[in-house]
Amino acid sequence: MSDVTDSSDSDENDYLIACLEKDLIACLEDELDENLEDELDESSSNSSSDNEAESQNKLEGFRCSPSPISYYMVIVPSVKVGVCIHPGSFGGMCIYCGKTLDGESGLAFGFVHKGLRLHDEEVSRLCNNMTNLLCRKKLYLVLDLDHTLLNSTSLHRLSEEERPMITQKSYLEDVSKGSLFKVEHLQMVTKLRPFVRTFLKEASEIFDLCIYTLGDRNYSLEMAKLLDPEREYFNANSNVISRDDGTQNRKKHLGMVLENESAILILDDTKHVWPKHKDNLILMRRYLFFNSSCEHFGYKCKSLAELRIDESETDGALAKMLEVLKHIHYTFFKENHVDRDVRQVLSSLRSEILRGCVIVLSRALCRDFHTLKKIAKKLGATCLNTLEPNVTHVVSNSVGTRESKWALEEKKFLVNSQWIEDANFFWQKQPEENFSVEENN
């Protein structure tokens, strides 16, 4: 058992406070909706001072009523009696004192309730306590949707070879069992990634789950229903975040999650949308089932749908990633100390993947050269610029390069660039014989 569960009464109180903080966000949607939405809508459409005063009086009455919000005002140390520092706002009014606030500071939490904002200091305070997670021996997992858990395309973008799928009954199964769905009101078709439901079920046992997508709100909620028809993992008002809920400039930010960053893992196929949180990120190989997605990312090949094949359930990307996540979770909780940080665990485990490999990359790799070298170093490999006796691997996509010829002569491993990429995606050194450099490359 962790040291948190064996702590003093003071630590138990900290745990209760942490729970209350999370409950605040969950209850804001229900209670504020019932008590304030009509008044705020009315005051926003009518600028008279009488209506504004009436709305503020309504808020004051709600604020004084016995509710989790009342506990919030009593317990939260950032709010002191008589001195309101405006920890957040709703419809432009402080959620504590009801004062009308100028500007839009802090982060918007539209997925909790439209118009709700929490200011930077309050977001930081809520995120700094991880007692709740540690007591339950869980970490927090943020999941991207598109090309990570599923692949969607517009009906009109289906290729001629893909169109028959949506007319064949066998492809449109019951939502609780199927994997290909025609979403009529969105005019889209969605394919769930193989193994995704098992992945969510087993991951939820050791992680609290959250969807965070740059898709719009309607789309994200519809996809959450397909992934989780029984609503076991995703609640629209707490852990489904879309681009309409406060995300700006097509970037994602962990402040929206309201958990301590040292306990959060991110699973996403796109690195650049997380500019401030790359240390939390596990990069996923993209799931490109439809032709439109292949074209979008520049792949000139037939799609999985056109080929009538799919990723493996047992050896595919999600199955492999579940093993990685379980190992990270085990390593995180193996040592019982207060300064645990999942980012350090990620860095440490990643650096073991290619440890002992001494690599020379062919300059003929051109624009991929520096990217692959950076990845290899993060995976623990030693990268050299010269061909030396201690080199173990040469990475090239052509047998005609100087480096490739030397590797063949010296009986060193000669592998293509996919060897490094797959080690990065699957968190495991790959068999060299599966990545041979072909004569025609």
Side-chain angles (χ1 to χ4, degrees):
M1 203 70 174
S2 72
D3 56 347
V4 178
T5 56
D6 295 330
S7 61
S8 64
D9 291 342
S10 174
D11 290 329
E12 292 178 3
N13 289 336
D14 287 343
Y15 169 70
L16 293 175
I17 291 172
C19 293
L20 282 170
E21 290 168 352
K22 294 295 289 183
D23 290 343
L24 161 71
I25 301 304
C27 77
L28 272 173
E29 195 279 340
D30 294 330
E31 298 200 45
L32 286 175
D33 186 52
E34 294 174 3
N35 291 274
L36 296 179
E37 192 169 44
D38 292 339
E39 284 71 21
L40 287 173
D41 288 343
E42 183 179 349
S43 65
S44 63
S45 61
N46 188 328
S47 60
S48 72
S49 59
D50 289 343
N51 283 337
E52 183 176 348
E54 182 180 351
S55 293
Q56 291 191 1
N57 288 337
K58 186 74 173 180
L59 176 60
E60 179 65 18
F62 170 69
R63 183 180 69 81
C64 295
S65 65
S67 69
I69 304 296
S70 302
Y71 291 117
Y72 176 75
M73 293 184 292
V74 171
I75 291 176
V76 172
S78 64
V79 178
K80 299 178 181 179
V81 176
V83 182
C84 182
I85 62 172
H86 312 310
S89 60
F90 181 79
M93 299 162 63
C94 174
I95 59 175
Y96 176 70
C97 69
K99 181 179 178 180
T100 300
L101 304 178
D102 296 327
E104 292 187 345
S105 60
L107 286 173
F109 286 81
F111 64 96
V112 177
H113 200 293
K114 185 177 180 181
L116 174 65
R117 303 184 74 89
L118 294 180
H119 295 181
D120 295 339
E121 295 81 1
E122 188 64 5
V123 170
S124 177
R125 190 189 66 77
L126 287 169
C127 290
N128 280 337
N129 195 323
M130 55 191 291
T131 310
N132 186 11
L133 284 173
L134 294 182
C135 280
R136 296 183 291 119
K137 269 205 165 181
K138 282 195 170 187
L139 294 173
Y140 205 90
L141 181 61
V142 177
L143 298 163
D144 175 51
L145 279 179
D146 296 291
H147 312 121
T148 298
L149 300 182
L150 49 81
N151 189 198
S152 297
T153 190
S154 300
L155 289 174
H156 73 272
R157 296 195 66 189
L158 289 171
S159 69
E160 288 301 320
E161 293 172 87
E162 292 173 336
R163 287 187 180 280
M165 289 190 306
I166 61 173
T167 61
Q168 296 176 17
K169 188 174 181 181
S170 60
Y171 283 102
L172 302 173
E173 303 172 73
D174 176 73
V175 69
S176 64
K177 299 178 181 178
S179 64
L180 181 71
F181 305 99
K182 184 178 179 182
V183 188
E184 290 283 2
H185 67 283
L186 294 180
Q187 285 297 287
M188 302 189 79
V189 59
T190 295
K191 174 66 173 63
L192 303 188
R193 196 166 198 164
F195 194 73
V196 67
R197 291 220 173 94
T198 302
F199 173 86
L200 293 175
K201 181 179 183 299
E202 296 193 24
S204 68
E205 296 172 2
I206 54 176
F207 293 91
D208 283 350
L209 305 180
C210 168
I211 287 174
Y212 196 159
T213 176
L214 292 180
D216 64 36
R217 185 72 176 158
N218 289 337
Y219 172 76
S220 63
L221 293 180
E222 193 65 38
M223 295 303 102
K225 290 178 186 176
L226 295 181
L227 290 165
D228 180 25
E230 301 299 323
R231 306 295 193 276
E232 296 178 78
Y233 321 118
F234 304 119
N235 182 306
N237 297 318
S238 63
N239 58 358
V240 178
I241 307 171
S242 73
R243 71 172 181 227
D244 299 331
D245 300 320
T247 299
Q248 297 178 351
N249 301 321
R250 298 197 66 78
K251 296 291 187 287
K252 300 179 181 180
H253 194 283
L254 286 183
M256 298 290 292
V257 178
L258 290 180
E259 289 290 350
N260 195 306
E261 290 180 21
S262 64
I264 300 177
L265 292 175
I266 303 165
L267 211 56
D268 204 315
D269 70 286
T270 307
K271 181 167 61 175
H272 67 78
V273 299
W274 295 101
K276 297 183 179 180
H277 306 290
K278 288 184 172 64
D279 291 340
N280 299 79
L281 175 65
I282 299 176
L283 197 63
M284 281 289 291
R285 167 164 287 165
R286 287 192 173 106
Y287 182 53
L288 306 176
F289 187 76
F290 296 109
N291 178 66
S292 60
S293 295
C294 294
E295 290 180 348
H296 177 77
F297 290 105
Y299 292 96
K300 297 179 180 179
C301 59
K302 284 185 176 292
S303 68
L304 294 174
E306 290 171 327
L307 295 171
R308 295 293 191 269
I309 60 175
D310 209 346
E311 286 185 354
S312 168
E313 280 273 349
T314 55
D315 295 318
L318 285 178
K320 295 292 187 182
M321 187 49 59
L322 182 62
E323 296 175 7
V324 172
L325 292 173
K326 287 180 177 179
H327 186 41
I328 293 170
H329 178 274
Y330 168 79
T331 304
F332 181 88
F333 284 101
K334 181 174 62 175
E335 295 185 9
N336 192 16
H337 57 84
V338 295
D339 296 326
R340 283 172 288 194
D341 192 323
V342 74
R343 293 166 292 195
Q344 295 175 3
V345 175
L346 280 183
S347 178
S348 176
L349 294 179
R350 186 182 280 121
S351 67
E352 294 294 325
I353 296 170
L354 292 183
R355 185 173 296 281
C357 297
V358 181
I359 297 174
V360 168
L361 291 95
S362 170
R363 288 283 177 179
L365 292 168
C366 299
R367 63 185 180 88
D368 294 330
F369 177 85
H370 293 291
T371 299
L372 289 169
K373 188 173 183 178
K374 187 175 181 180
I375 293 172
K377 285 183 175 181
K378 283 189 174 182
L379 299 181
T382 300
C383 294
L384 301 181
N385 294 323
T386 58
L387 298 168
E388 300 178 7
N390 62 330
V391 169
T392 60
H393 294 75
V394 168
V395 180
S396 177
N397 287 336
S398 171
V399 294
T401 66
R402 180 176 66 89
E403 297 89 349
S404 296
K405 292 177 180 178
W406 179 86
L408 293 172
E409 291 172 0
E410 298 296 322
K411 294 183 170 40
K412 306 291 184 178
F413 286 116
L414 176 60
V415 293
N416 62 48
S417 57
Q418 196 67 47
W419 180 74
I420 294 178
E421 294 177 15
D422 277 20
N424 188 42
F425 285 129
F426 295 119
W427 285 61
Q428 187 175 30
K429 181 173 173 286
Q430 301 296 298
E432 287 84 358
E433 60 271 19
N434 294 342
F435 298 86
S436 59
V437 181
E438 301 297 334
E439 290 282 348
N440 60 351
N441 279 358

